[in-house]
Amino acid sequence: MNRVRKTKLRLIGAMALSSTVMMGTAAVAASTASAFLLYTASIKLKGLNLMKWADVLSVLTLASLPSTSSGTKPSGSSTTTISTPGSATTVGSGSAATGVPAMKLGLNLTAPTTWIGNRSFLNLLSGWRLSNAQGGWSDMPEDRLDANKRLVDLRSGESGIRQMALPTRSLWGESVDIICRWQGTGSVSVGGTPAKNTRVSGKTLTFTFVPQGGASAWLRIASTSPSDPVRNADCREVDADPNATFDPTYLAEVKRYGVLRFMKWSYGGVEGNLPVRWETRAKLGDEIVAGPDGVALEYMIQLANELKADPWFCVPWNADDEYVRKFAELVRTRLDPSLKAYVEVSNEVWNYVYPVTTQALKEGKAAGLSSNDHMAMLSRYSQKTGQVMDIWSSVFAGQMQRIVRVAAVQTGAWNADFVLSFGDTAKKVDAVAIAPYFAANLSANALDTSAGVDAAFAGLANDVNDRIAESKKVKDVATKFGLRTITYEAGQHVLGSAPLDKMIALQRDARMTKLYTTYLTKWRDEVGDLMVMFADYGGGSQWGSWGQRDYVGQPLSEANKERAVELFRQSYITR
């Protein structure tokens, strides 16, 4: 499966990000009073030609329109002493001014992977891969699995492969003893350079995971009985709770946030915009926790319940009414009634990196919602949001306090007003969500000198002010409709073609820490309400540095962005 990875590219003016970005045509949407210009760009990404609208200083003031580094074991040597939270002791207030809602903090969760240090599930095993007779790996054909995603069909020379996430302590440079257990009849072994000292006894296998950079291990099923297939496979640390679902270090770190956005956990159905069916989705009781459409919804709800955090769900665009209703019913039934479920349709249905935006445009044009492409797309998004929220409202009739219905827009007052003014959409949602990133697009030599680095931070500081100012304009629109203003994503958005080591150094600079403090404080003082940061884990790469931490268990003394957020949280936010 080709997953559409979230590529955070915001183009500044008509500047090309790199040789892979070619500026395309300009689209002009006019009204009787004014017009705006949106650049489009063609981005070549891992063989995919994707289109997106450039965020040119929040779409060239649309408001003017009418109405890898090695892990280090955490230790007591950290220079920053911050307690592991339950609910933080509130030193100040989440609200700084009369009329400004109390601020809350949320977090976007990255999808479980085997290649970055964001291990969330205690069971290290990921989804299925197929190894052929020549040793090559490919996606597992769905017809090789039964209804519970168990492997039941292997042919001559083939093996089923399940890669493992990197064990948490291995991220700190430690060797870790792992035990794998399973049921059923078949031949099971472990592979990968980190796997040492393997021992097999009956339906149990143990080995020592010795860190080898970012290399992973995997479980190999060389044969399985169709009538008694290898199943319920589980690999975790020998000293881990065999009945627990989530990694305790992950839980302790994510618990700092009161809202958890599961957009990335729904990757295939949301970012990939794949066709989805309720009958074939990943579900509790399956052999794997995630399928092509994403992680099983039951696990999202379970994580929210365990942490007493409000979940934020993204409903796939291609979900039919039955899927949407059953989604809502499962949340109503399983979610702790004291928690609120935030509900959003898809993700960034304005951003042409994602195939959903082109689909929305085509549907909007076909329905005659507008002759203008951009307005047809936004109108269709607004219409679709209303349709989905009608179903959720029906399911939660008499319990509406349990959900927050969200319309998400590209940061800009015009965008918010346009989406909310379509039909009676404003009456069907409770909040407008934006992503007011403070951003920079740095040239190849921008960070070559100390003066260049100073200039980059000065530009970022100015953009913090601009983003908050634009957010206040969005809030004015939302207030007009009686709605909340929140963020679906937030934080720094630094990209460019400068050398990676210099880009990472910029992220770790003390001035970035101060920018986060200023950013959070200005949001609290001038806008208020929920800010959802992007994202929990991930080191620096050519695609950006999006993680609050590089890996699970990274000391706060080494994670400056997360440290800034945590110090702010302990000072001003209950949770």
Side-chain angles (χ1 to χ4, degrees), residues 128-133 136-138 140 144 151 153-162 187 189 219-223:
W128 288 108
R129 302 278 285 167
L130 181 67
S131 175
N132 61 31
W137 290 9
S138 61
M140 178 66 71
R144 303 297 190 90
L151 181 61
D153 183 5
L154 278 175
R155 298 162 193 181
S156 178
E158 294 179 340
S159 296
I161 301 292
R162 295 186 65 187
S187 173
S189 61
L219 203 67
R220 180 184 295 273
I221 293 86
S223 65

Side-chain angles (χ1 to χ4, degrees), residues 56-370:
V56 186
L57 298 181
S58 191
V59 199
L60 292 177
T61 62
L62 277 175
S64 65
L65 282 173
S67 0
T68 330
S69 61
S70 298
T72 303
K73 178 182 178 181
S75 69
S77 62
S78 170
T79 58
T80 304
T81 302
I82 300 176
S83 60
T84 300
S87 292
T89 301
T90 304
V91 178
S93 167
S95 180
T98 303
V100 176
M103 183 175 174
K104 302 175 183 179
L105 282 171
L107 185 65
N108 278 270
L109 306 184
T110 49
T113 68
T114 59
W115 60 85
I116 63 173
N118 67 338
R119 187 261 188 103
S120 50
F121 287 87
L122 267 177
N123 186 357
L124 295 165
L125 295 174
S126 65
W128 288 108
R129 302 278 285 167
L130 181 67
S131 175
N132 61 31
Q134 292 72 43
W137 290 9
S138 61
D139 291 339
M140 178 66 71
E142 291 186 11
D143 62 3
R144 303 297 190 90
L145 308 176
D146 67 11
N148 296 110
K149 312 296 190 295
R150 298 176 299 195
L151 181 61
V152 293
D153 183 5
L154 278 175
R155 298 162 193 181
S156 178
E158 294 179 340
S159 296
I161 301 292
R162 295 186 65 187
Q163 281 187 274
M164 299 184 196
L166 301 175
T168 303
R169 294 201 298 273
S170 76
L171 302 170
W172 313 339
E174 296 182 8
S175 295
V176 188
D177 290 330
I178 304 295
I179 183 168
C180 298
R181 306 177 180 91
W182 63 91
Q183 296 173 336
T185 302
S187 173
V188 180
S189 61
V190 66
T193 56
K196 310 294 183 184
N197 305 320
T198 302
R199 298 178 180 85
V200 181
S201 177
K203 297 176 183 179
T204 300
L205 179 155
T206 60
F207 69 96
T208 300
F209 188 103
V210 180
Q212 306 283 327
S216 66
W218 56 84
L219 203 67
R220 180 184 295 273
I221 293 86
S223 65
T224 188
S225 167
S227 60
D228 184 30
V230 173
R231 62 190 181 277
N232 298 329
D234 183 292
C235 296
R236 63 182 68 199
E237 293 84 347
V238 295
D239 57 353
D241 182 344
N243 299 311
T245 302
F246 301 106
D247 176 62
T249 304
Y250 177 85
L251 290 176
E253 292 177 347
V254 172
K255 188 176 183 178
R256 302 175 189 272
Y257 295 86
V259 175
L260 305 177
R261 185 168 181 253
F262 289 102
M263 182 273 290
K264 287 286 185 182
W265 281 36
S266 306
Y267 45 82
V270 174
E271 287 187 294
N273 201 42
L274 297 173
V276 294
R277 292 173 50 231
W278 187 256
E279 296 78 11
T280 59
R281 71 180 181 92
K283 59 187 181 300
L284 191 67
D286 282 352
E287 184 68 19
I288 54 180
V289 301
D293 51 346
V295 175
L297 175 58
E298 290 90 340
Y299 288 118
M300 302 182 202
I301 298 171
Q302 181 181 343
L303 181 61
N305 286 341
E306 286 193 25
L307 296 181
K308 300 299 181 185
D310 294 334
W312 183 317
F313 302 113
C314 293
V315 178
W317 185 273
N318 290 314
D320 61 18
D321 287 353
E322 179 187 19
Y323 188 111
V324 175
R325 181 170 296 279
K326 289 183 178 298
F327 192 133
E329 289 172 345
L330 189 62
V331 172
R332 183 191 62 192
T333 301
R334 286 181 172 266
L335 184 65
D336 183 332
S338 69
L339 300 176
K340 291 182 180 293
Y342 288 73
V343 187
E344 174 190 2
V345 176
S346 193
N347 172 67
E348 290 195 350
V349 188
W350 53 262
N351 184 344
Y352 282 86
V353 160
Y354 299 118
V356 64
T357 305
T358 298
Q359 181 177 343
L361 185 157
K362 291 179 178 178
E363 290 176 2
K365 292 294 287 291
L369 300 182
S370 176

Side-chain angles (χ1 to χ4, degrees), residues 509-522:
D509 193 292
R511 286 169 286 186
M512 182 63 77
T513 313
K514 292 179 67 176
L515 278 175
Y516 264 72
T517 300
T518 300
Y519 182 61
L520 292 162
T521 302
K522 288 181 74 67

